[in-house]
Amino acid sequence: PSDVQLFSGCEDHATSADVSSRYGHAGGAMTTALCDVLRKYPNPSYPQLMEQLTQVMKAKGFPQRPQLSSSQQFSFDRPFVVDDPGQNRNGTIGRVVNTKFKANPRPFAPGDPLG
């Protein structure tokens, strides 16, 4: 399995803007900015990528701030490359359950169709 990274056009509590392409098609403002940045800087480091995305978004008048989430920790100075996924180095793969709850079933109410 590979590392999973999520680029988002804004923070969770905010709303991402839509833009219209030169061909009249709708698209995301951050996605458009990402394409613009990668055309200009094909292999930026992650700090360069995030800085350029922020600058492009501000220059186009969008108040949102691009965000990056990852399924694992990685060296932030490595180059961003679309076609070379990083190897998953997580110690555990899959869901980790830390707490077990004691079963506490409730009795069915009279006339309940499931009871």
Side-chain angles (χ1 to χ4, degrees), residues 34-44 52 56:
L34 178 65
C35 292
D36 291 347
V37 169
L38 291 177
R39 282 187 192 102
K40 190 171 182 179
Y41 306 99
N43 294 312
Q52 290 299 316
V56 169

Coordinates of all heavy atoms in Angstrom, one line a residue, residues 34-44 52 56:
L34 N -3.5 24.3 -8.2 CA -2.5 23.2 -8.2 C -2.0 22.9 -9.6 O -0.8 22.8 -9.8 CB -3.2 21.9 -7.6 CG -2.3 20.7 -7.6 CD1 -1.2 20.9 -6.6 CD2 -3.2 19.5 -7.2
C35 N -2.9 22.9 -10.6 CA -2.4 22.7 -12.0 C -1.5 23.8 -12.4 O -0.5 23.6 -13.0 CB -3.6 22.6 -12.9 SG -4.6 21.1 -12.6
D36 N -1.9 25.1 -12.1 CA -1.0 26.2 -12.4 C 0.4 26.1 -11.8 O 1.4 26.4 -12.5 CB -1.7 27.6 -12.0 CG -3.0 27.9 -12.8 OD1 -3.2 27.2 -13.8 OD2 -3.7 28.8 -12.3
V37 N 0.4 25.8 -10.5 CA 1.7 25.7 -9.8 C 2.5 24.6 -10.4 O 3.7 24.8 -10.6 CB 1.4 25.5 -8.3 CG1 2.7 25.2 -7.6 CG2 0.8 26.8 -7.7
L38 N 1.9 23.4 -10.6 CA 2.7 22.3 -11.1 C 3.2 22.5 -12.6 O 4.2 22.0 -13.0 CB 1.9 21.0 -11.0 CG 1.7 20.5 -9.6 CD1 0.9 19.3 -9.6 CD2 3.0 20.3 -8.9
R39 N 2.5 23.3 -13.3 CA 3.0 23.7 -14.7 C 4.2 24.6 -14.6 O 5.2 24.4 -15.3 CB 1.9 24.4 -15.5 CG 0.9 23.5 -16.0 CD -0.1 24.2 -17.0 NE -1.2 23.4 -17.2 CZ -2.4 23.5 -16.7 NH1 -2.7 24.4 -15.8 NH2 -3.4 22.7 -17.0
K40 N 4.2 25.5 -13.6 CA 5.3 26.4 -13.4 C 6.5 25.7 -12.7 O 7.7 26.0 -13.0 CB 4.9 27.6 -12.6 CG 5.9 28.7 -12.6 CD 5.2 30.0 -12.0 CE 6.2 31.1 -12.0 NZ 5.7 32.4 -11.5
Y41 N 6.2 24.9 -11.7 CA 7.2 24.2 -10.9 C 6.9 22.7 -10.9 O 6.2 22.2 -10.0 CB 7.2 24.7 -9.4 CG 7.4 26.2 -9.3 CD1 6.3 27.0 -9.1 CD2 8.6 26.8 -9.4 CE1 6.4 28.4 -9.0 CE2 8.8 28.2 -9.2 CZ 7.7 29.0 -9.1 OH 7.8 30.3 -8.9
P42 N 7.4 22.0 -11.9 CA 7.1 20.5 -12.0 C 7.4 19.6 -10.8 O 6.7 18.7 -10.6 CB 7.9 20.1 -13.2 CG 8.2 21.3 -14.0 CD 8.3 22.4 -12.9
N43 N 8.4 19.9 -10.0 CA 8.8 19.1 -8.9 C 9.1 19.9 -7.7 O 10.2 19.8 -7.2 CB 10.0 18.2 -9.2 CG 9.7 17.2 -10.3 OD1 8.7 16.5 -10.2 ND2 10.5 17.1 -11.3
P44 N 8.2 20.6 -7.2 CA 8.5 21.5 -6.0 C 8.6 20.6 -4.7 O 8.1 19.5 -4.6 CB 7.2 22.4 -5.9 CG 6.1 21.5 -6.4 CD 6.8 20.7 -7.5
Q52 N 3.3 28.3 -2.8 CA 2.8 28.7 -4.1 C 1.3 28.6 -4.3 O 0.7 29.5 -4.8 CB 3.5 27.9 -5.2 CG 5.0 28.2 -5.4 CD 5.2 29.7 -5.8 OE1 4.5 30.2 -6.6 NE2 6.2 30.3 -5.1
V56 N -1.0 31.8 -5.1 CA -1.9 31.8 -6.3 C -3.3 32.1 -5.8 O -4.1 32.8 -6.4 CB -1.8 30.5 -7.1 CG1 -2.9 30.4 -8.1 CG2 -0.4 30.4 -7.8

